[in-house]
Amino acid sequence: MTKTLTPIMSLFIALLFVQSSWAQIELQNNEADKKLESLLKEFSSLSSDPEKSTVRAMEIYYQGTELIEEASNDTLKFDFHSKYLRWFLARQFLDEWVYNAKSAAIYAKKLNYTDKYIHLSSYIAIGQIALRKYDSATATYRAIIAHNQKLPNSKTAHTLGSLNNFGIHFYDNLKNNDSALYYFNKMYEFPNSAREKFALQWSIYDNIALVHMTEKRYEEAKKLFTINYEFYGKNIQNGTKDYERWFRAGLQLADVEMKLNHFTKAIELIKEVERYFKNAPPYDDSIKTRLLLIKTQGDYYRGVGALTQAGICSDRLIRMKDSLSALDQANILGDQTLFRKIALERTQNSLEKEKKIRLSEIDRAEQRLSFVLLFCLLLVVGLYLIYAKNRQRLLAVRTENALIEEKARTASLKNQLLASEMELKKRDLADFALNISQNQEWAKEILEKISVIKGSKGRTKGKQLQLLEKDVARKIKVEDRTIDFKDRVEKLSNEFYEKLRAHFPQLTRSEVRLCSLIRLNIDNPEIAMLQNVSPQSVYKSRFRLRKKLGLSKEVDLNMFLKEF
């Protein structure tokens, strides 16, 4: 019983080990989730000191990327990559921006955040464009549009925005105006209410007007820019703060008026925009508006031949761009230098940590290997014990079966011997009975001869006594020879007897012995002498034998028995 339970105990120990490992992994995941959540809270509450916050934000980023591999909470992972996506975007770390956008999109899809997944996919495309990976951006936009079309309600802001951004990509980056117009016009397949609801109607006008400008269809562009300028102006009066689009639409309209040689209308629009711009409150992208205003003023002065004023505008534009570029480059370069420095330190620390982890993993691997070897050894021993026990049982069963078979064979041989002895005794009894019968007949003959001798006289009586004496002596001699001959015939013809009895079981023992004598080519008188009968009796016995053997008259009995 103990031997049988050994492999079961080994399997039970292995299951306990696996369960313990799972519990340990789950505990590690829970700890990683808690640490990642704590890091996200710290990141959200970083101080306003740019240098300190940048350094700590980078440290948190590296710590978080290590924890994400062990964490199990997908929501925390999504929040981590989303926040750092915006952080890297603000600092123009393009590779990190795209990486975090892709990572956040993966978790957004797992969590069924449909809106966020589409926004993140757009961020990926924008990052790929910034990295000048235009083919990748094209593939990303196509994937976004295909994804939106599979949504239950595809007529949404997501689909409109994707078509708009894809068209802008063709116009700005790929310089393919036909494809750009194709996607802009596809937005007209949506109801006006949908386009106006999502504030994309006027973005469409703006984008199509830019294509018209490139194709020198100035009148068509003028109509669209006019609609936008009036629309955004009304919105400003109604309390919206979209100054950048309003001023941009006005300057674009001034540009198209100059293309049509309407310089008076153009300068009126430029001064109007400049007046509103000076009175407008601070807003995002105001620097972009100022740059566009100076550029448009310069274009006007060049158009009317005022080259001095045009040169002044160009100088101002160049100085502002250089100043902004230098400032942006300084900020970006400073952040990137700091980022690379921290990355190098983290790499060195990571290498040291990995070295320790590898050593620790080697120790754990050796422990696990020892446990596995021990388990395998116990399992092999248990299986061997079961095999040995079963083999022993099998051998015992085989031995028992062999003994039973041997006993059966012995009993069968004994039965065969008994049957043979019985058969021999039957033969002896039959011979004994036949011999008694023959001796009785001979005794009667002797009595008759004695009676005759008693009635005889003189020499006749003496001669008859001598003949009687010779008959008795001959009888004794023949009897001895007959017994010896019968024994030899029995030994020589044993196989013949068996075959004959198998084919003709109706034959008597004397008839079988007669067949044997005939087969030995002994003639009838000799057979009569051996059987101590008259020759006439032998002839009658041969006749009866032919009938029992079923032989026709044409078949010779002697040849049949010799060939049998």
Side-chain angles (χ1 to χ4, degrees), residues 198-236:
F198 303 128
L200 287 169
Q201 177 66 60
W202 298 273
S203 180
I204 299 170
Y205 291 157
D206 185 43
N207 294 330
I208 294 176
L210 290 173
V211 175
H212 288 327
M213 290 289 289
T214 305
E215 300 290 336
K216 297 183 179 181
R217 295 190 291 268
Y218 300 127
E219 290 293 344
E220 295 178 14
K222 179 181 176 179
K223 293 176 184 178
L224 297 175
F225 285 140
T226 301
I227 294 172
N228 276 4
Y229 184 57
E230 291 175 354
F231 170 76
Y232 288 122
K234 290 178 182 179
N235 278 0
I236 293 295

Side-chain angles (χ1 to χ4, degrees), residues 35-258:
K35 290 179 181 179
L36 185 60
E37 186 177 8
S38 176
L39 288 175
L40 283 171
K41 288 179 180 179
E42 184 182 355
F43 177 77
S44 301
S45 61
L46 286 175
S47 67
S48 58
D49 187 333
E51 185 173 351
K52 290 182 179 179
S53 63
T54 300
V55 172
R56 184 55 190 151
M58 292 178 182
E59 291 176 348
I60 291 173
Y61 176 71
Y62 281 113
Q63 292 173 5
T65 52
E66 292 175 357
L67 287 171
I68 278 178
E69 297 179 1
E70 300 177 3
S72 59
N73 191 323
D74 289 338
T75 304
L76 288 175
K77 297 178 182 180
F78 169 78
D79 291 341
F80 177 84
H81 287 297
S82 297
K83 289 182 178 181
Y84 271 99
L85 158 67
R86 292 187 290 271
W87 191 83
F88 284 119
L89 176 59
R91 287 156 182 78
Q92 292 297 298
F93 288 4
L94 300 180
D95 291 323
E96 288 76 10
W97 166 19
V98 173
Y99 167 76
N100 281 277
K102 288 182 177 179
S103 300
I106 290 171
Y107 294 112
K109 193 170 186 179
K110 289 176 67 177
L111 296 166
N112 291 322
Y113 293 167
T114 303
D115 294 348
K116 293 178 180 179
Y117 173 75
I118 296 169
H119 283 307
L120 289 166
S121 298
S122 298
Y123 274 125
I124 293 169
I126 293 169
Q128 289 167 336
I129 289 170
L131 291 168
R132 299 186 182 280
K133 297 179 179 179
Y134 297 137
D135 290 341
S136 299
T138 301
T140 302
Y141 276 126
R142 291 190 191 281
I144 294 171
I145 293 172
H147 176 270
N148 292 340
Q149 289 174 346
K150 293 178 183 177
L151 296 175
N153 183 12
S154 61
K155 306 292 186 179
T156 63
H158 302 306
T159 307
L160 280 168
S162 301
L163 292 171
N164 189 49
N165 292 335
F166 204 14
I168 293 171
H169 173 56
F170 275 109
Y171 174 73
D172 284 342
N173 305 310
L174 303 181
K175 308 303 179 186
N176 188 333
N177 294 335
D178 292 337
S179 295
L181 277 177
Y182 169 79
Y183 285 101
F184 292 145
N185 288 324
K186 277 190 73 68
M187 298 173 71
Y188 282 112
E189 297 176 4
F190 289 69
N192 290 336
S193 57
R195 296 196 301 273
E196 292 174 0
K197 177 182 177 181
F198 303 128
L200 287 169
Q201 177 66 60
W202 298 273
S203 180
I204 299 170
Y205 291 157
D206 185 43
N207 294 330
I208 294 176
L210 290 173
V211 175
H212 288 327
M213 290 289 289
T214 305
E215 300 290 336
K216 297 183 179 181
R217 295 190 291 268
Y218 300 127
E219 290 293 344
E220 295 178 14
K222 179 181 176 179
K223 293 176 184 178
L224 297 175
F225 285 140
T226 301
I227 294 172
N228 276 4
Y229 184 57
E230 291 175 354
F231 170 76
Y232 288 122
K234 290 178 182 179
N235 278 0
I236 293 295
Q237 294 175 4
N238 293 332
T240 61
K241 305 297 182 182
D242 203 351
Y243 289 100
E244 192 275 331
R245 291 196 180 194
W246 182 35
F247 298 147
R248 175 156 50 89
L251 294 173
Q252 287 171 330
L253 183 56
D255 185 48
V256 77
E257 292 287 7
M258 286 187 283

Side-chain angles (χ1 to χ4, degrees), residues 236-303:
I236 293 295
Q237 294 175 4
N238 293 332
T240 61
K241 305 297 182 182
D242 203 351
Y243 289 100
E244 192 275 331
R245 291 196 180 194
W246 182 35
F247 298 147
R248 175 156 50 89
L251 294 173
Q252 287 171 330
L253 183 56
D255 185 48
V256 77
E257 292 287 7
M258 286 187 283
K259 299 294 185 185
L260 294 169
N261 293 320
H262 302 159
F263 289 99
T264 302
K265 291 182 180 180
I267 193 60
E268 290 175 358
L269 284 168
I270 292 170
K271 289 180 179 180
E272 184 177 275
V273 170
E274 184 176 16
R275 183 173 66 254
Y276 285 126
F277 177 70
K278 289 179 180 180
N279 296 326
Y283 63 90
D284 293 339
D285 294 329
S286 60
I287 294 176
K288 289 172 63 177
T289 303
R290 182 177 294 278
L291 290 172
L292 182 59
L293 177 60
I294 295 171
K295 178 184 178 300
T296 307
Q297 289 172 338
D299 291 340
Y300 169 76
Y301 288 129
R302 272 189 294 274

Side-chain angles (χ1 to χ4, degrees), residues 434 438 441 475 524-539 541:
L434 180 61
Q438 291 175 351
E441 290 179 1
K475 174 67 175 175
N524 291 338
E526 289 179 345
I527 292 173
M529 184 187 67
L530 289 172
Q531 291 186 340
N532 199 19
V533 295
S534 63
Q536 289 80 8
S537 297
V538 174
Y539 289 128
S541 297

